[in-house]
Amino acid sequence: MDFTHELNSRQLEAVMNTKGPALVIAGAGSGKTRVLTYRIAQLLSQGVPAYRILALTFTNKAAREMQHRIAALVGETQAANLWMGTFHSIFGKILRLEAPLLGYTPDFTIYDAQDSKNMIKQIMKELQLDDKIYNPNAVQGRISMAKNMLVTPDAYARSADIQLADKMAKKPLIHEIYRYYATRCKKNNVMDFDDLLLQTNILFRDFPDTLEKYQRKFEYILVDEYQDTNYSQYLIIKKLAALNRNICVVGDDAQSIYSFRGARIENILNFKNDYPEYSLYKLEQNYRSTVTIVGTANSVIAHNEEQIPKELFSRNEEGEKIKVIRALTDREEGVQVVNEIYRLAQNEHQDYSHFAILYRTNAQSRLFEEALRKQNIPYRIYGGTSFYQRKEVKDLLAYLRLAVNQDDEESLRRVINYPRRGIGETTVEQLRHAARAHDSTLWHALSNVESLHDCLSPGTIRKLEPFKTLIESFAEMTKTESAYHVVHRVVTASGIVTDLETDNTPEGISRKENIQEFLNAVKAFSETAYKENREDKLAPFLAEIALLTDQDNDQSNDLPKVTLMTVHSAKGLEFPTVCVVGLEETLFPSIRSSHSSSELAEERRLFYVALTRAEKRLILSHATTRYHNGEIISPPPSRFLQEIHPRYIETPAPRRGAPRHQTIARPRVTMPVKRAEVPEINTAELQPAAPEAIVPGVVVYHPSFGTGQVISIEGLGDNRKAKIDFPQHDIKVLLLKFAKLFTEKA
């Protein structure tokens, strides 16, 4: 297979050398998907069986795109036999094959984030915990982080550092919630997203024969976006590659922006340590952007110290210089940016779909939405409520999941009285108590409802029986019928359609359309499964949609619209014109990163990602005053603007009587940010502060910085750090292991 006319010399080198460990550093727009695609095609042309190649991506969209390209090169049959997909879909597939080893059945349910949160709320209710203290989102995040660090409930409870951190955060019972949550999931035959990685690690740890089976099976391993892998993913990949060591990872350390999700930039930076015999390939030619945009991005990212050296270049046109909009207020910023989009669209006859507005936080969208509406410019918010998170779709999904897995308690609770059948919360609680008393599930209690005559009335039992019979009939259908026929039956027999027919409001009509669209999705799944000779049953369909990512859920229509999104959501996308807005200190970079070199480096990488989304034109904007928590503040322009080389920035036409400026000057701050009042401390009566006494809200004294108040604590053990507001010296982040802090004597 000859690729010489379709790849540049660096790409060709990365494609042809298939043996041993390989690190492909793929700069923005440098054709990494092409390299992965052709490398797999090269392996297949060398006679490597498709089923011996494992290719891991972060979105189904990326996997589908690669599979289509490979099919065009080597044929659909070979492409279909590849083990290619997202981490969660591939490891979910392995877990279904090996489920009995871990005490699950192959038809386990996969919970999304909302399902998981609902179960956590229910457990907290049973434990009588205050949800104002134990915020469900925070608890869910804590459990998720523990799982991604491979910390099981028992290990969590045994860790003195973790228990101390939870105690200081006034949440000492998270370990109890975690334990109940894990037990409930196992009993209900349920895994959440994090379990798909955690349980795979446990599988390979506890069953070495199974690990060896997959090590021998996957002779070649390819990983996309390696800089975004977390610790759990890293360990699985390392274990699978240990035997053959034919591992190729592709990524860009300059685009590592997901540390808040557990991603570790160290994984790509330390690849050379894990595989000393590795080969390094750098893809540095950018095919997406103009010379000016690439130069702008290079000049910014050069300020990061810890990175793999590379110099992105472009052979495209020079392109326009970068336009910087400086508005007086945040509202005026929205108006000016939208006016610029309107002007360009009209003068250059561009579709509105060619424009994207990128911001650091979702809350910034409001003012741009207002300005777009006033100009009658259509827009869409990227990353809004996905199709499969809409209520009517979630209701239908609950019925379908129950048909496959009757022990799925969250689904049973959701639909046992929807549509209304006179089964109240009191009845559900009585069933729950019966289930707990017999250490069983809600379905088991429901299946033995005749034994509950002492706590349920005959009338209630008569209402429960038809529901039980209905679910059993659906379960029976799943054994023989296609996914489409089962879903069609559930939609009609459950009463969902009848319930929606009574609502003729625009919202009600939309809900009915969503159910119809769901049926269309099932039909498409069945047709694809038939073409690819796959099983078109309900269980595989549910597994497929449970693993959809945000990008896979995009339901926008074809009407040209301006796209609004956070920079995090924009990764992997590109637009002819990109507007990066809100470029001010405390906003972008975020105030949370201002005093941490590693967090500031990630903010700079995030800005780099924003810049490299643009193909032809970049517009950057900031405001000199902005509302923040009801107060007007005057933040200086972002340091990132200062880091752009002046030769790439458009010099504005001078105003009458005003001098021309070659660089962006920071405006004088006229209205300081409102700071919290720090209580006085008696420095005559001080004692060294015990580490466990340093918690948010405590007033401390530092010999160099004076009196300050602790804002937050992060890290564990020797890595514990305190963010402290010292009014005389601004906010500081101090490593408690070395900080000389004092408090007043008790």
Side-chain angles (χ1 to χ4, degrees):
M1 194 171 286
D2 185 12
F3 304 134
T4 53
H5 299 299
E6 300 173 58
L7 302 170
N8 65 38
S9 59
R10 295 291 178 85
Q11 291 172 332
L12 187 64
E13 192 180 5
V15 163
M16 301 303 291
N17 298 307
T18 56
K19 284 290 185 182
L23 171 60
V24 180
I25 297 299
S30 63
K32 72 176 177 63
T33 303
R34 175 177 287 246
V35 166
L36 279 169
T37 300
Y38 279 83
R39 188 177 173 98
I40 293 171
Q42 173 67 9
L43 287 170
L44 293 171
S45 71
Q46 291 173 347
V48 178
Y51 63 84
R52 302 206 64 183
I53 299 172
L54 171 64
L56 297 166
T57 66
F58 273 85
T59 67
N60 293 299
K61 181 180 176 183
R64 282 196 300 268
E65 182 183 348
M66 286 172 58
Q67 203 147 20
H68 289 155
R69 291 194 194 185
I70 292 166
L73 292 170
V74 301
E76 288 191 7
T77 303
Q78 289 216 74
N81 288 328
L82 291 165
W83 277 66
M84 177 182 289
T86 64
F87 285 87
H88 292 90
S89 66
I90 293 294
F91 300 143
K93 184 176 178 180
I94 290 174
L95 287 171
R96 290 193 189 280
L97 293 171
E98 311 296 342
L101 292 176
L102 296 168
Y104 291 84
T105 72
D107 289 334
F108 61 80
T109 301
I110 299 173
Y111 273 2
D112 62 23
Q114 188 58 53
D115 300 320
S116 170
K117 192 194 303 181
N118 289 343
M119 182 182 280
I120 287 171
K121 286 179 179 177
Q122 180 60 33
I123 289 168
M124 285 167 45
K125 182 179 176 182
E126 293 170 17
L127 294 175
Q128 298 182 330
L129 297 175
D130 187 346
D131 61 6
K132 292 184 177 61
I133 297 173
Y134 289 87
N135 178 282
N137 288 325
V139 173
Q140 183 182 41
R142 190 75 170 153
I143 292 173
S144 175
M145 192 61 75
K147 288 185 177 184
N148 284 322
M149 293 303 293
L150 306 184
V151 178
T152 61
D154 287 343
Y156 193 102
R158 287 196 306 266
S159 170
D161 283 345
I162 292 176
Q163 293 311 304
L164 178 61
D166 284 352
K167 185 176 180 181
M168 289 191 301
K170 296 184 171 59
K171 299 178 179 66
L173 294 178
I174 288 182
H175 70 281
E176 281 290 298
I177 302 172
Y178 186 10
R179 182 171 63 83
Y180 274 100
Y181 177 74
T183 302
R184 193 78 51 87
C185 283
K186 187 76 170 282
K187 194 180 297 294
N188 293 350
N189 200 33
V190 161
M191 291 191 198
D192 62 23
F193 263 46
D194 299 317
D195 281 324
L196 296 176
L197 302 178
L198 174 63
Q199 295 296 335
T200 302
N201 270 293
I202 291 172
L203 176 71
F204 290 160
R205 180 197 69 190
D206 294 349
F207 301 94
D209 290 348
T210 302
L211 170 60
E212 186 180 354
K213 177 174 74 174
Y214 288 101
Q215 286 175 332
R216 293 189 181 282
K217 178 181 181 65
F218 299 130
E219 186 180 356
Y220 291 89
I221 298 173
L222 300 95
V223 185
D224 191 16
E225 304 285 12
Y226 191 63
Q227 78 281 348
D228 292 338
T229 53
N230 61 26
Y231 180 63
S232 188
Q233 291 162 329
Y234 162 80
L235 274 188
I236 296 170
I237 295 163
K238 191 175 182 183
K239 287 176 182 176
L240 287 173
L243 182 64
N244 295 301
R245 298 182 76 79
N246 292 321
I247 177 171
C248 173
V249 302
V250 181
D252 182 7
D253 56 296
Q255 297 186 69
S256 178
I257 60 173
Y258 294 119
S259 66
F260 67 97
R261 292 182 185 169
R264 306 194 327 159
I265 192 173
E266 297 86 359
N267 293 348
I268 194 167
L269 295 178
N270 295 334
F271 186 84
K272 59 185 179 183
N273 300 330
D274 291 332
Y275 306 94
E277 74 276 30
Y278 86 115
S279 300
L280 175 65
Y281 307 97
K282 295 182 183 180
L283 310 183
E284 297 172 298
Q285 182 174 354
N286 177 292
Y287 290 90
R288 175 188 301 155
S289 308
T290 64
V291 171
T292 296
I293 291 170
V294 170
T296 299
N298 282 340
S299 65
V300 170
I301 202 64
H303 288 78
N304 272 5
E305 295 179 2
E306 192 176 15
Q307 58 178 303
I308 297 171
K310 57 188 166 298
E311 185 71 22
L312 215 59
F313 67 93
S314 172
R315 292 196 173 126
N316 296 335
E317 61 185 350
E318 186 73 22
E320 296 181 14
K321 290 195 173 186
I322 311 305
K323 183 180 184 69
V324 178
I325 293 175
R326 176 182 173 184
L328 292 176
T329 67
D330 49 359
R331 185 173 296 278
E332 185 186 293
E333 180 191 22
V335 171
Q336 286 197 42
V337 168
V338 169
N339 284 347
E340 184 68 12
I341 290 173
Y342 180 79
R343 183 185 70 79
L344 291 168
Q346 297 302 311
N347 293 351
E348 300 180 10
H349 306 289
Q350 292 191 50
D351 279 348
Y352 283 123
S353 60
H354 291 180
F355 297 87
I357 299 175
L358 308 185
Y359 35 75
R360 181 63 182 82
T361 66
N362 278 307
Q364 290 171 256
S365 74
R366 181 180 62 84
L367 294 173
F368 294 94
E369 289 184 69
E370 288 180 5
L372 287 163
R373 284 197 295 268
K374 285 179 181 175
Q375 284 277 26
N376 290 317
I377 296 176
Y379 67 90
R380 63 169 183 152
I381 303 288
Y382 195 95
T385 302
S386 76
F387 177 77
Y388 292 105
Q389 290 297 320
R390 293 166 187 169
K391 180 188 179 300
E392 59 279 7
V393 177
K394 289 282 282 184
D395 290 336
L396 176 53
L397 275 171
Y399 272 108
L400 300 177
R401 297 198 310 197
L402 267 184
V404 171
N405 173 20
Q406 288 82 60
D407 288 329
D408 182 345
E409 188 169 305
E410 184 58 38
S411 294
L412 192 150
R413 293 177 68 96
R414 185 178 187 101
V415 298
I416 194 170
N417 195 41
Y418 177 75
R420 293 186 181 278
R421 48 178 63 92
I423 302 172
E425 187 60 33
T426 301
T427 301
V428 175
E429 284 300 301
Q430 287 167 331
L431 285 173
R432 186 181 64 78
H433 284 304
R436 301 295 176 262
H438 293 88
D439 194 27
S440 63
T441 63
L442 271 183
W443 177 258
H444 184 269
L446 183 61
S447 298
N448 295 277
V449 72
E450 64 279 354
S451 64
L452 301 178
H453 280 287
D454 56 333
C455 58
L456 295 178
S457 69
T460 299
I461 292 173
R462 282 196 297 272
K463 293 173 184 174
L464 290 169
E465 284 288 357
F467 175 72
K468 172 176 150 304
T469 303
L470 182 70
I471 300 302
E472 286 173 337
S473 71
F474 296 158
E476 196 61 32
M477 280 190 72
T478 64
K479 298 174 184 177
T480 56
E481 300 289 340
S482 70
Y484 180 79
H485 286 108
V486 175
V487 175
H488 194 275
R489 170 67 178 161
V490 170
V491 166
T492 54
S494 66
I496 290 178
V497 166
T498 305
D499 183 67
L500 293 179
E501 288 293 345
T502 62
D503 185 357
N504 290 315
T505 64
E507 293 80 8
I509 294 169
S510 175
R511 284 192 281 270
K512 281 177 276 191
E513 290 171 348
N514 286 335
I515 294 296
Q516 186 57 52
E517 183 58 33
F518 188 96
L519 285 165
N520 294 341
V522 186
K523 192 70 172 175
F525 165 81
S526 292
E527 290 172 356
T528 303
Y530 177 77
K531 287 179 186 176
E532 297 178 356
N533 199 26
R534 291 189 288 116
E535 192 178 37
D536 69 341
K537 295 290 192 293
L538 182 59
F541 171 73
L542 292 177
E544 183 173 296
I545 64 172
L547 296 167
L548 293 177
T549 64
D550 292 342
Q551 289 191 24
D552 302 313
N553 284 328
D554 181 26
Q555 298 291 315
S556 61
N557 58 33
D558 294 331
L559 180 69
K561 299 176 182 178
V562 175
T563 299
L564 279 70
M565 65 172 77
T566 65
V567 183
H568 281 103
S569 298
K571 188 163 179 288
L573 303 177
E574 55 191 50
F575 301 88
T577 299
V578 169
C579 309
V580 188
V581 301
L583 286 167
E584 299 137 30
E585 291 293 304
T586 75
L587 187 55
F588 199 178
S590 163
I591 190 170
R592 293 188 298 275
S593 67
S594 300
H595 302 279
S596 165
S597 59
S598 62
E599 291 178 10
L600 181 59
E602 177 149 334
E603 288 286 303
R604 188 174 286 109
R605 293 195 294 270
L606 189 61
F607 185 53
Y608 174 85
V609 167
L611 298 175
T612 53
R613 298 312 93 200
E615 298 171 351
K616 302 290 186 184
R617 183 185 285 112
L618 256 176
I619 298 168
L620 310 178
S621 70
H622 65 97
T624 56
T625 62
R626 178 177 298 276
Y627 270 98
H628 178 71
N629 292 336
E631 300 286 337
I632 296 179
I633 61 172
S634 294
S638 170
R639 69 191 74 192
F640 300 152
L641 287 171
Q642 305 283 356
E643 293 171 358
I644 298 173
H645 196 286
R647 70 169 174 266
Y648 298 121
I649 295 177
E650 173 185 296
T651 304
R655 295 178 182 177
R656 189 171 297 173
R660 290 176 64 91
H661 293 284
Q662 298 300 317
T663 59
I664 303 167
R666 291 178 180 266
R668 182 170 59 87
V669 177
T670 57
M671 301 180 72
V673 178
K674 187 175 181 180
R675 303 278 295 278
E677 292 294 328
V678 175
E680 292 294 327
I681 190 170
N682 183 4
T683 55
E685 306 226 354
L686 294 176
Q687 62 183 6
E692 61 270 17
I694 306 301
V695 295
V698 166
V699 178
V700 296
Y701 177 80
H702 188 278
S704 300
F705 306 135
T707 303
Q709 189 164 25
V710 179
I711 299 172
S712 63
I713 298 289
E714 58 185 64
L716 299 170
D718 289 345
N719 295 320
R720 251 179 108 230
K721 294 180 287 188
K723 184 176 285 188
I724 306 173
D725 185 355
F726 294 103
Q728 297 175 2
H729 290 84
D730 214 337
I731 295 172
K732 304 289 182 184
V733 177
L734 304 178
L735 192 64
L736 292 180
K737 181 179 178 182
F738 300 114
K740 296 178 180 178
L741 298 176
F742 298 83
T743 56
E744 285 185 293
K745 292 180 181 178

